[in-house]
Amino acid sequence: MDRKRMAAACALAGFALAGAKFAAAATEQDTAQGIAQYREMLADGNPAELIEMTGEDLWKESRGPKNASLEKCDLGQGAGVVKGAYAQLPRYFEDAGRVMDLESRLVYCMVQLQGMEAADVTKKPFSGDGQYSTDIEALVAYVAGMSRGMKIAVPQTHPKEQAAYARGRDIFYYRGGPYDFSCASCHTGDNKRIRLQDLPNLTKQEPARAAFASWPAYRVSQGALRSMQWRLQDCFRQQRMPLLKYGSDASVDLTVFLGVNANGGQMMAPAIKR
């Protein structure tokens, strides 16, 4: 780990310790109040900003068998254009012949431009609690941060984008597993909670916008940055459903459904979560 990463990791360890104290206090006080206190303590800062800096370095660094950077990666706005790209993902990419979210597109670019093996890149896409972010997470934080304040505009112009939305809607309402749960079981009603967590109604415009706009996010209770792929995978885990394969069509389709429902909202990721 280079000096910049080591310094960032040390700083994040401090944030994680402070966050753990608030997470522990959440059993004794309202969770929303606890996270508000944590945000106040950070003032205008966000631990994810350190990870964004790492992601920017990784974007520009020559790596892999081809010793190339990701600066020619097309995220939908043209080769190398990062600003505003995340707000318009997932989308159809002609070169890949499929609809991709940010994470699957980054893997594609790392393989095509840098010569890396997809299996190696996706072997461990998520960091553990309190660990510094993986390369993919850092890149996600950087790209997402470059869309902060921009309007969410997940496209539905290509037939494959429309088909992805329809499949994503089916997945959202599909019931299964030992609890006969679906995404809709938790996210289609108002004023629902699970333990200490508020559950947004993702079929309504405003809560759908607020939820989608805030991922990826730095999760206080885990001291780590979490991506949308992680969020979906963890929801499936809690439903006791088979885990989503990282970057799979199913994971992207579900993200398309959530993103289109959030269109018109203002991107604010990486955000801070409990």
Side-chain angles (χ1 to χ4, degrees), residues 1 3-17 50 130 132:
M1 182 182 289
R3 289 185 178 182
K4 183 183 286 188
R5 276 198 166 197
M6 187 173 294
C10 290
L12 284 171
F15 286 126
L17 179 60
L50 298 171
Y132 197 71

Side-chain angles (χ1 to χ4, degrees), residues 31-274:
T31 307
Q33 180 182 350
I35 193 67
Q37 287 180 310
Y38 184 69
R39 288 194 179 108
E40 184 179 350
M41 182 189 73
L42 293 178
D44 294 327
N46 180 338
E49 292 175 7
L50 298 171
I51 302 168
E52 288 181 53
M53 293 167 58
T54 298
E56 183 177 8
D57 288 343
L58 289 170
W59 179 264
K60 298 176 180 178
E61 182 182 348
S62 295
R63 300 193 304 155
K66 294 184 179 181
N67 194 33
S69 74
L70 291 172
E71 292 173 295
K72 293 184 179 179
C73 179
D74 184 356
L75 297 175
Q77 307 302 307
V81 179
V82 180
K83 193 172 183 63
Y86 186 64
Q88 297 185 42
L89 288 170
R91 67 184 306 128
Y92 174 73
F93 288 91
E94 186 174 357
D95 56 3
R98 59 174 289 216
V99 176
M100 293 175 156
D101 67 346
L102 173 58
E103 291 168 79
S104 57
R105 187 62 181 176
L106 285 171
V107 172
Y108 178 87
C109 286
M110 293 168 82
V111 171
Q112 297 297 318
L113 296 177
Q114 298 180 314
M116 297 185 182
E117 295 291 334
D120 293 336
V121 174
T122 60
K123 185 176 181 180
K124 187 185 177 185
F126 309 128
S127 56
D129 292 2
Q131 293 181 348
Y132 197 71
S133 296
T134 64
D135 288 354
I136 285 284
E137 288 172 327
L139 285 164
V140 165
Y142 165 59
V143 175
M146 292 295 285
S147 281
R148 193 179 289 110
M150 296 187 178
K151 185 173 290 187
I152 300 169
V154 178
Q156 282 284 279
T157 54
H158 195 280
K160 289 193 176 182
E161 293 169 345
Q162 298 165 12
Y165 177 86
R167 291 192 301 268
R169 179 184 58 216
D170 290 344
I171 294 170
F172 183 81
Y173 285 101
Y174 178 80
R175 301 178 71 100
Y179 296 157
D180 194 32
F181 270 13
S182 68
C183 302
S185 298
C186 292
H187 292 291
T188 55
D190 298 329
N191 302 316
K192 283 188 174 183
R193 292 171 69 93
I194 182 168
R195 297 185 296 278
L196 297 172
Q197 179 63 52
D198 293 325
L199 299 171
N201 184 342
L202 298 178
T203 63
K204 286 190 173 181
Q205 190 176 72
E206 289 310 311
R209 286 175 172 176
F212 190 83
S214 61
W215 290 97
Y218 180 80
R219 174 137 269 177
V220 174
S221 58
Q222 297 177 357
L225 183 119
R226 298 305 185 200
S227 66
M228 178 63 82
Q229 282 277 339
W230 178 91
R231 174 65 278 167
L232 297 180
Q233 192 172 109
D234 198 56
C235 284
F236 272 57
R237 177 190 65 81
Q238 292 179 68
Q239 294 176 58
R240 305 301 189 268
M241 296 279 277
L243 292 183
L244 281 171
K245 182 179 178 181
Y246 187 80
S248 64
D249 288 340
S251 67
V252 174
D253 292 344
L254 188 52
T255 305
V256 171
F257 174 73
L258 298 175
V260 171
N261 288 352
N263 274 347
Q266 187 177 68
M267 190 59 67
M268 58 181 182
I272 299 178
K273 300 282 185 179
R274 68 170 181 82

